[in-house]
Amino acid sequence: MAAADKLNGAYWRKRAIELAEKQKQEDDDLCLRFHREYERILHELDKEISIFYARYAANESVSMADARRLLRDAELEDFRMSLDEFRDKALAGGFDKELEEVYLRSRISRLQALQTQVELRMMELFSSQRDVLRDHLQERYTDTYYRTVYAVSQQADVASTFARIDPQTIERILAVSWVGSEFSSRIWADKDKLTRELMQTLSRGFVRGDSLDRMTKEFAQRMGVSESRAATLIHTESAHMAAEAAEQGYRETGVQSYRFEAALDLKTCAVCGALDQREFPLAEHETGINYPPLHPRCRCTTVPVTEFRIGSKRAARNPATGKTEYVEKKLTYEEWRKKYVEEDADKTEWEEYQRVLGEKAPKTLEEFRNIKYTESKKWGIMMENKRLFEKIDSTETYSPEYRAKLKETYQYFSDAGFAFREHALNRVLGQKTGKDKFTFTKEELLRILNKPANYQQPDGKYVRFYDGISVISADDTGEIVSVVVKRTPRKDWTAL
């Protein structure tokens, strides 16, 4: 019996180490992705501050008095135009109300204009962080849960019925408060902290008459501290989601107790080390006390306490049919997941695409799976279509008739090979008349879209400017981000 227990303990420890290494690598990859995003936003901030200094600096510094002067009409128009790039991001990120208040303000100082651009960059950065980290945590929870169910099944004669994880499960867990707040609150708290720090840096710099070089260095320092906090958030939230997923897997496979597994190296704290190899009833687990994570960046994990059993076959209950099927115990995790999880998940996902996209969705499950797994470009377009349609459907201020027009307009241009963001669609449908304004048809706009870009904005976006209509497209994806009626080109556009 002792030999069996020893063998069983070695099995679980080996599995825990392999899974921990895999998850750490994934977290490190995400930290690197966040690092690149911080670098990109910092570059954008540096560019905007440099433009500000070029306009208003005397002897390479800007005084507070100069910074507080109101924007002239031409400057105000340029400022409003520069906000256009944020409109679609604002709608997608849920901060369109804040942007609209700034956009409609008639009197604004130079300092307020720069502060607004800084704040919008922070909104952009942290909205992206929230969405990317949410996807990462969803995948972490799902993968850990299925791996836990699979691993326990290898040690039991019969695998218990288990659930297929859906996004709503993850949302409920993310909404639960732990360590004092819930997931989104921690993201936005850091956004508010960094925004305040950058605003203070601007104000102090103008009071002191700091040079451009000193100002940008202080911005880089503040951004670096925030990036470090983001890395801590990634590792801690990921550990929490993995622990929650393992606990659900234990419950649904009949595990009654677990063993605490501390990371065995010099970085392990005394609290975690004292719990190493101790067993606790699953019903008495308490995050932060006897269940990981115990603290930020905690690397400890748990393993289930099970009996060691040997056999060539096991019975697995199919979650879709509810029937018990006997399979070889040597079935790999990838084979098991494909058979018992993914095939049913693809069917549910296809049905969801049919519900949202209607006749534009793949007609059969086979066609859907073919696009998903073999046609990456087409799959990316289809995912973006679904995301946009869901956003349109969830916007309460849109009437049913207007939603239908947005989708119809989007599809008209999509069929012609052009992807429109929501802000651009609103610009097409919400055309205004009056001084220096005129209306245009979809056909006229399509004619312009088929012409080459002939200008480029300072932020890199390309512009097709013909017949008083400027169509602005993203420089990386080519998506149409805005449509603006203008009699003449903007002064800061570069002719191509």
Side-chain angles (χ1 to χ4, degrees), residues 352-362 381-387 389-390 393 407 411:
E352 179 68 8
Y353 271 79
Q354 285 189 310
R355 183 188 68 79
V356 176
L357 299 181
E359 62 179 19
K360 295 299 180 180
I381 294 173
M382 194 162 71
M383 285 194 296
E384 178 59 24
N385 290 0
K386 179 174 178 288
R387 185 203 65 77
F389 280 26
E390 286 176 329
D393 288 336
K407 293 179 181 180
Q411 205 61 59

Side-chain angles (χ1 to χ4, degrees), residues 183-452:
F183 163 76
S184 290
S185 296
R186 287 189 284 278
I187 294 278
W188 293 122
D190 193 35
K191 188 272 295 181
D192 292 341
K193 180 178 177 62
L194 179 58
T195 302
R196 285 195 304 272
E197 292 171 346
L198 295 181
M199 296 302 187
Q200 290 169 358
T201 298
L202 284 175
S203 297
R204 282 198 302 265
F206 294 150
V207 168
R208 293 188 306 234
D210 286 348
S211 66
L212 172 62
D213 184 58
R214 179 170 179 177
M215 189 77 81
T216 55
K217 283 182 179 178
E218 286 203 28
F219 264 55
Q221 183 181 15
R222 297 294 185 184
M223 293 284 282
V225 173
S226 177
E227 182 183 340
S228 178
R229 291 196 295 259
T232 296
L233 184 69
I234 289 171
H235 287 287
T236 307
E237 291 288 345
S238 296
H240 174 61
M241 292 299 281
E244 291 293 303
E247 188 273 333
Q248 182 182 347
Y250 294 162
R251 280 190 288 105
E252 296 186 0
T253 52
V255 172
Q256 298 297 313
S257 58
Y258 64 91
R259 182 181 301 112
F260 193 96
E261 290 278 346
L264 299 180
D265 56 39
L266 296 177
K267 295 181 181 180
T268 300
C269 70
V271 175
C272 293
L275 293 178
D276 186 44
Q277 299 304 301
R278 287 185 59 182
E279 295 182 9
F280 300 93
L282 186 63
E284 297 177 10
H285 86 287
E286 189 173 353
T287 300
I289 303 300
N290 63 2
Y291 197 78
L294 269 61
H295 53 78
R297 287 185 178 266
C298 181
R299 296 167 299 124
C300 300
T301 185
T302 65
V303 297
V305 176
T306 63
E307 290 186 44
F308 182 70
R309 302 186 180 185
I310 299 175
S312 61
K313 288 191 176 184
R314 63 180 176 85
R317 196 176 305 278
N318 190 315
T321 65
K323 296 180 180 179
T324 299
E325 301 175 7
Y326 289 89
V327 297
E328 295 292 333
K329 263 195 173 179
K330 65 181 181 180
L331 196 69
T332 67
Y333 171 71
E334 287 72 21
E335 293 169 337
W336 175 87
R337 177 160 178 162
K338 180 175 177 58
K339 181 176 180 64
Y340 294 104
V341 179
E342 291 180 358
E343 290 185 2
D344 183 56
D346 284 344
K347 182 174 184 297
T348 302
E349 189 176 18
W350 169 57
E351 291 171 347
E352 179 68 8
Y353 271 79
Q354 285 189 310
R355 183 188 68 79
V356 176
L357 299 181
E359 62 179 19
K360 295 299 180 180
K363 301 298 187 293
T364 65
L365 176 59
E366 182 179 2
E367 180 186 356
F368 175 81
R369 287 177 61 84
N370 182 64
I371 293 173
K372 181 177 180 180
Y373 295 113
T374 66
E375 300 184 46
S376 58
K377 185 175 181 180
K378 193 171 182 180
W379 172 241
I381 294 173
M382 194 162 71
M383 285 194 296
E384 178 59 24
N385 290 0
K386 179 174 178 288
R387 185 203 65 77
L388 179 60
F389 280 26
E390 286 176 329
K391 178 66 174 64
I392 291 172
D393 288 336
S394 65
T395 303
E396 296 180 358
T397 55
Y398 294 160
S399 67
E401 294 76 17
Y402 190 70
R403 289 173 186 158
K405 287 181 179 179
L406 282 170
K407 293 179 181 180
E408 179 187 357
T409 304
Y410 176 86
Q411 205 61 59
Y412 173 83
F413 291 108
S414 179
D415 290 343
F418 300 98
F420 271 61
R421 293 184 185 173
E422 187 179 3
H423 169 63
L425 294 175
N426 279 308
R427 282 299 186 99
V428 173
L429 292 178
Q431 298 179 46
K432 298 178 181 180
T433 57
K435 184 180 179 181
D436 294 329
K437 300 292 182 182
F438 59 89
T439 60
F440 54 85
T441 66
K442 290 189 296 185
E443 292 72 22
E444 290 172 329
L445 183 57
L446 182 59
R447 179 176 56 80
I448 293 174
L449 285 168
N450 283 308
K451 293 178 177 289

Side-chain angles (χ1 to χ4, degrees), residues 43-196:
H43 174 73
E44 294 294 333
L45 289 174
D46 285 349
K47 184 167 63 174
E48 284 159 5
I49 294 174
S50 297
I51 293 173
F52 188 90
Y53 267 69
R55 285 178 176 174
Y56 310 121
N59 299 320
E60 297 190 4
S61 67
V62 177
S63 70
M64 179 57 77
D66 286 335
R68 283 178 172 165
R69 287 198 176 94
L70 292 176
L71 293 179
R72 298 186 297 270
D73 290 343
E75 293 171 334
L76 185 60
E77 178 63 22
D78 286 342
F79 171 64
R80 285 178 172 171
M81 291 297 293
S82 72
L83 296 185
D84 284 339
E85 67 171 296
F86 290 102
R87 297 300 288 269
D88 58 308
K89 296 176 184 177
L91 290 168
F95 55 95
D96 49 309
K97 181 180 179 182
E98 294 89 340
L99 180 61
E100 194 66 25
E101 290 175 354
V102 176
Y103 193 85
L104 295 176
R105 195 182 303 165
S106 60
R107 296 174 66 81
I108 189 169
S109 71
R110 297 168 177 177
L111 176 59
Q112 288 173 314
L114 182 57
Q115 288 175 331
T116 295
Q117 290 175 313
V118 170
E119 187 167 8
L120 291 173
R121 290 296 179 190
M122 292 302 98
M123 285 285 193
E124 178 185 352
L125 173 63
F126 285 91
S127 293
S128 173
Q129 278 192 14
R130 177 197 57 193
D131 295 341
V132 171
L133 184 52
R134 187 183 296 275
D135 291 343
H136 177 76
L137 296 178
Q138 179 172 323
E139 179 57 33
R140 172 60 49 82
Y141 189 97
T142 303
D143 185 65
T144 303
Y145 170 74
Y146 289 134
R147 287 183 183 277
T148 299
V149 171
Y150 167 77
V152 174
S153 298
Q154 298 297 294
Q155 294 286 303
D157 289 335
V158 179
S160 302
T161 302
F162 60 94
R164 184 172 56 78
I165 301 299
D166 56 37
Q168 286 70 34
T169 301
I170 314 298
E171 291 298 325
R172 287 193 295 270
I173 295 170
L174 290 173
V176 172
S177 177
W178 75 288
V179 296
S181 60
E182 48 87 27
F183 163 76
S184 290
S185 296
R186 287 189 284 278
I187 294 278
W188 293 122
D190 193 35
K191 188 272 295 181
D192 292 341
K193 180 178 177 62
L194 179 58
T195 302
R196 285 195 304 272

